[in-house]
Amino acid sequence: MKSIVNQLCQLQDLILVRDEHRATGNGDHLERLNESIDAMTETLPAAAAAMFKRLLTRDHVIMAPVHNGCCAVCGMRLPVSQIQAVRQCETLQACPGCARILFEELDAPQWVGALPGRTEPRKNGISRFSAESLMVPDLVVSSAADAIEVLAGKMETGGFVSHADKLIASALERESMLSTAMEHGLAFPHVRGVEGGSLTLACGVSKEPFAWDVAGTQTQIVFLITIPTAVSAFYMRLIAGLTEAFQKDANREALLAAETPAMLWKALAKATRYTIK
């Protein structure tokens, strides 16, 4: 059964990649993605395929990690007996609250940042997801793997996310499905399922363009994003806001001109003040 759960997780990843591509790509890879999704669905056992297809009609997030004894999507507290059944993985377990298929990854990266206190003022814009300490204005890298390693390390040393090595591996696995590089020298590597807190963004800028993928897509501005499962849909809004902001030459030039983390943070906040709420 563990292999079926892994297959379902991979299938969901492909579907979410397709959703991202529809929203931000030019459609060139849709046929290949559709073929991969159909082929993988056909190899599922009948009962698992039926459950998957039924859930898919409602939402494209069909798999729910178990985090701190709860469903990470709907937040329902799970009975101890069901948590044990998820770990034993002898049958597919559905969340009693949202009906999604439960699974557990004990060594997955986790969000470890401090939660805001009730008396703290509400953050706005990009500050809801990032901070000056996650800015790298002097990336010196030659590949996507190098850039992701630097930014994942910044997240871990800054006390935002655990297990930078797992974060790097997951981000590169996502890149192997379809490159996250876009026009204007932007790239949006990301990892879903980083539970425990909020969506988190680190930004790195290379003064010199470098090849991001096998197609040689030239990249200079990299946003590494970790995404809790429950806010997968909001991630698309964040990407849309960043893309809109950095279609403008002046905003990209401001990031490329930043010499310090403080300057990069100020430029990022200014560029996104109208596109990210």
Side-chain angles (χ1 to χ4, degrees), residues 72-83:
V73 178
C74 72
M76 167 147 312
R77 174 69 61 180
L78 302 171
V80 173
S81 59
Q82 187 168 35
I83 295 172

Side-chain angles (χ1 to χ4, degrees), residues 173-222:
E173 182 178 357
R174 164 60 186 82
E175 289 294 326
S176 70
M177 296 182 190
L178 189 66
S179 172
T180 59
M182 298 177 63
E183 61 182 357
H184 303 308
L186 306 173
F188 298 94
H190 55 273
V191 178
R192 296 181 187 274
V194 182
E195 312 299 342
S198 64
L199 190 153
T200 306
L201 177 149
C203 176
V205 175
S206 172
K207 304 305 182 186
E208 297 296 328
F210 64 95
W212 182 264
D213 50 32
V214 293
T217 309
Q218 295 297 293
T219 300
Q220 286 185 272
I221 301 170
V222 182

Side-chain angles (χ1 to χ4, degrees), residues 2 9 12 16 37 46 68-69 78 84 96 108 112 117 125 134 136 164 180 194 201 206 217 240 255 274:
K2 181 65 174 175
C9 288
Q12 175 180 267
L16 293 174
I37 290 167
N68 288 341
L78 302 171
Q84 292 173 341
V112 294
L134 293 174
V136 182
T180 59
V194 182
L201 177 149
S206 172
T217 309
L255 262 60
Y274 298 123

Side-chain angles (χ1 to χ4, degrees), residues 18 51 55 63 83 93 96 107 113 124 160-161 216 231 245 248:
R18 182 179 63 185
M51 189 175 185
L55 290 169
M63 306 297 293
I83 295 172
Q93 295 292 314
D107 61 346
N124 297 310
F160 288 87
V161 174
V231 297
K248 299 177 180 178

Side-chain angles (χ1 to χ4, degrees), residues 232-248:
S232 288
F234 183 80
Y235 163 73
M236 296 307 304
R237 291 166 55 191
L238 175 62
I239 289 295
L242 290 168
T243 303
E244 180 182 350
F246 293 106
Q247 285 179 344
K248 299 177 180 178

Side-chain angles (χ1 to χ4, degrees), residues 43-95:
T43 63
L44 286 169
M51 189 175 185
F52 165 78
K53 291 176 181 178
R54 184 175 69 253
L55 290 169
L56 193 61
T57 61
R58 188 182 65 181
D59 189 358
H60 286 185
V61 176
I62 62 167
M63 306 297 293
V66 174
H67 180 73
N68 288 341
C70 299
C71 169
V73 178
C74 72
M76 167 147 312
R77 174 69 61 180
L78 302 171
V80 173
S81 59
Q82 187 168 35
I83 295 172
Q84 292 173 341
V86 171
R87 289 174 179 168
Q88 291 168 356
C89 205
E90 295 177 353
T91 59
L92 292 180
Q93 295 292 314
C95 171

